[in-house]
Amino acid sequence: FIFQQKPVVKTDKPISTDFNRFQPTATPTIIPHPTLGSMTLSAVEGAIRFPNNKELSIVISSSSEGKYIVAYDAILSFDKSAFTYVKTVSRIADFNVFSYERPTYLSMSAIKSLQNTKNTSWNNQQLVGVVFKPKKTGTFTFVLSPVGKETSKLVDDKANVVYPKTDKLELEIY
């Protein structure tokens, strides 16, 4: 093998070290996402204490700050050793909800019916009721928070994704 050395090009121009002038060509994913609106948890009738082995319902509500929402995702983490997931019931007739049980959380996706063309924004609108059956006593926390790549979000009528502020709910099972 014969190796040839490439010629070195010399220049009189200084090499710039001003790296602030370079802009990325792709928009990076920002985590945490900027938030708009809210997604909250509450128990039916505002209760925080429930008897063991009797079904209870947690309601997810949302405010969209003037955006017209046509779809949403909700990620609800809970202690699977303490609760059995029973069912999900849409609180808005025009939205179909699809639930997926994951190892440590419940993933819900909902989409507005194509037959309904009326635009509405939400102000503490009840979206979905989630029914659980407690398996043991104690104090437990339900949390709307991202898990891996899944996160709670709202999608408006122009297909823009909005990330609402989320919260948690603490319940006592006796």
Side-chain angles (χ1 to χ4, degrees):
F1 294 109
I2 299 174
F3 295 100
Q4 289 184 346
Q5 187 177 20
K6 292 188 178 186
V8 177
V9 178
K10 292 186 178 184
T11 179
D12 294 308
K13 295 182 182 177
I15 297 174
S16 174
T17 57
D18 180 16
F19 297 109
N20 292 329
R21 66 185 177 94
F22 297 105
Q23 297 296 320
T25 57
T27 305
T29 301
I30 299 172
I31 297 177
H33 301 286
T35 59
L36 180 71
S38 65
M39 197 175 276
T40 59
L41 295 171
S42 63
V44 172
E45 299 175 10
I48 58 169
R49 297 187 73 230
F50 295 91
N52 193 14
N53 293 319
K54 186 176 179 189
E55 289 184 357
L56 61 94
S57 183
I58 293 176
V59 177
I60 300 174
S61 301
S62 182
S63 294
S64 63
E65 294 190 21
K67 298 272 186 184
Y68 301 130
I69 305 302
V70 296
Y72 67 85
D73 289 336
I75 308 302
L76 181 61
S77 298
F78 64 98
D79 184 348
K80 285 200 151 194
S81 71
F83 294 91
T84 301
Y85 164 71
V86 178
K87 65 182 176 180
T88 305
V89 180
S90 180
R91 296 283 177 115
I92 305 174
D94 296 327
F95 277 77
N96 295 318
V97 179
F98 304 94
S99 302
Y100 308 95
E101 277 194 89
R102 306 291 191 210
T104 59
Y105 62 96
L106 180 67
S107 175
M108 294 162 277
S109 293
I111 189 161
K112 186 176 180 180
S113 170
L114 295 175
Q115 283 75 32
N116 184 335
T117 57
K118 186 174 114 180
N119 286 336
T120 56
S121 62
W122 296 339
N123 185 15
N124 203 27
Q125 170 69 50
Q126 291 188 358
L127 305 179
V128 65
V130 186
V131 180
F132 293 97
K133 186 171 184 181
K135 296 192 268 187
K136 61 184 180 182
T137 60
T139 301
F140 303 97
T141 304
F142 290 81
V143 182
L144 284 169
S145 65
V147 178
K149 294 181 181 181
E150 291 194 79
T151 185
S152 297
K153 59 184 148 282
L154 307 173
V155 180
D156 72 10
D157 59 338
K158 294 176 179 44
N160 296 314
V161 177
V162 176
Y163 298 94
K165 292 180 188 174
T166 57
D167 76 353
K168 61 184 178 179
L169 175 66
E170 197 168 274
L171 299 179
E172 181 185 345
I173 308 301
Y174 61 92

